[in-house]
Amino acid sequence: MANSRILTLNEVIIQKQSAFPYAKGELSRLLMHIGLAAKIVNNKINKAGLETSIIGEVDNVNVQGEVQQKLDVYADEVFSKALQASGIVCGIASEECDEIIVFDDEMSKEGSYVICMDPLDGSSNIDVNVSVGTIFSIYRRISPVGDKVTNEDFLQPGIKQVAAGYIIYGSSTMLVYTTGLGTTGFTYDPSIGEFCMSHYYMVTPKNGQIYSINEGNYVKFASGVKKYLKWCQESDKDTGRPLTSRYIGSLVADFHRNLLKGGIYLYPKTASAPNGKLRLLYECNPIAFLAEQAGGMATDGYGNRILEIQPTNIHQRVPLFVGSKDMVEKAEEFMRENPDD
Ligand code: AHG
Ligand code: MN
Ligand code: MN
């Protein structure tokens, strides 16, 4: 039966506003600006196959040493402009920019919030019509209102996030966010141009059947990871193994599938990448916040909760083990029992 009452993102944000500790409506406005930027980027991504001017690489390598795609740059600009236009954000840190961006116009300087973002996640998948995403993370500033923001404002552990979320540009476009009161999902209805609530209170299964990892890196993994993967592949009727392997190569899409179905996503350290690949501020912290709010778990594989890691650098990388609680705990057990050689 069709939903008799459609709730849009903006309506839900306003309804939930009073439950937020600093309820002045600012965070609500900020989330609405993110929703607007998401629609603009979504529109562009949907045309990626038609507009050859927006697919492909730009002649630049970002601070992560990765070749930028045209849509990385486009999404970065759209989200940056929308966040500055909100007047509530005093600065941003983006995966695509070497340094933090300080918004020093009169209105933004008075803003209370800073944002960390991965404007386009999984961007190597754009040209082949595979799901990509945007990830965002919102903190209250530490520096006094009226001053310019500094790096310190961004170097806060993930437990200090006031909100986080992602947009997945997939077979349908969804926006999933949390303000610490559960994880809620909205599906974009292009016929009315609105994100409509589709997943009120997302709860990830405590256990699942899916493991997601780039197994091409197998020979470079620590022995704990190798042994865990073999365990996933072994048959065992009691525990429902072998598990199923699924890996898209867009964190947002891999995480979203596992969140709904139950599963574990791993990006461990490798011999050539001692901190893994994923970025603490732009990817791991927001994803960990959403996972925990849905009843899941996120660690670095060595017993450390992602949200408690104190960042020392805005572009810091960290290994990530995230997903269903029982599965992350099992992987952690293998890591403990097989210390690195
Ligand atoms: P980004 O496109 O923002 O650089 O992120 C890509 C990330 C993440 O989305 C994905 O899970 C991971 O890189 C895939 O890395 P591998 O190709 O090494 O598996
Ligand atoms: Mn990414
Ligand atoms: Mn990216």
Side-chain angles (χ1 to χ4, degrees), residues 117-238:
M117 66 171 181
D118 177 355
L120 207 65
D121 174 64
S123 55
S124 64
N125 279 323
I126 296 163
D127 296 2
V128 291
N129 203 359
V130 171
S131 302
V132 292
T134 296
I135 313 175
F136 61 91
S137 165
I138 306 176
Y139 294 82
R140 283 185 77 82
R141 70 188 299 173
I142 298 171
S143 56
V145 169
D147 284 8
K148 282 188 180 180
V149 275
T150 67
N151 267 18
E152 302 309 310
D153 288 301
F154 297 88
L155 297 178
Q156 302 189 49
I159 40 170
K160 297 281 184 188
Q161 291 172 102
V162 292
Y166 59 79
I167 298 106
I168 174 169
Y169 312 100
S171 49
S172 57
T173 296
M174 279 190 71
L175 187 150
V176 177
Y177 84 101
T178 181
T179 55
L181 300 167
T183 295
T184 311
F186 299 81
T187 302
Y188 186 61
D189 181 343
S191 66
I192 55 169
E194 294 283 359
F195 283 101
C196 301
M197 190 166 71
S198 50
H199 298 67
Y200 176 59
Y201 193 84
M202 298 171 88
V203 179
T204 196
K206 200 163 170 283
N207 208 342
Q209 285 296 309
I210 299 171
Y211 72 98
S212 311
I213 188 167
N214 184 344
E215 281 184 274
N217 293 326
Y218 185 84
V219 294
K220 296 191 259 174
F221 290 146
S223 57
V225 178
K226 288 180 178 165
K227 289 191 176 150
Y228 174 67
L229 293 179
K230 282 293 153 227
W231 181 85
C232 292
Q233 293 159 2
E234 278 161 16
S235 294
D236 181 70
K237 274 208 271 331
D238 294 340

Side-chain angles (χ1 to χ4, degrees), residues 66 95 118 120-123 214 247 249 251 265 267 277 279:
E66 293 155 357
E95 182 193 272
D118 177 355
L120 207 65
D121 174 64
S123 55
N214 184 344
Y247 191 73
L251 170 64
Y265 175 96
Y267 209 111
K277 176 183 184 188
R279 277 103 341 179

Side-chain angles (χ1 to χ4, degrees), residues 57-69:
E57 298 170 355
V58 289
D59 189 16
N60 192 32
V61 171
N62 69 12
V63 64
Q64 324 284 334
E66 293 155 357
V67 177
Q68 281 183 310
Q69 304 288 317

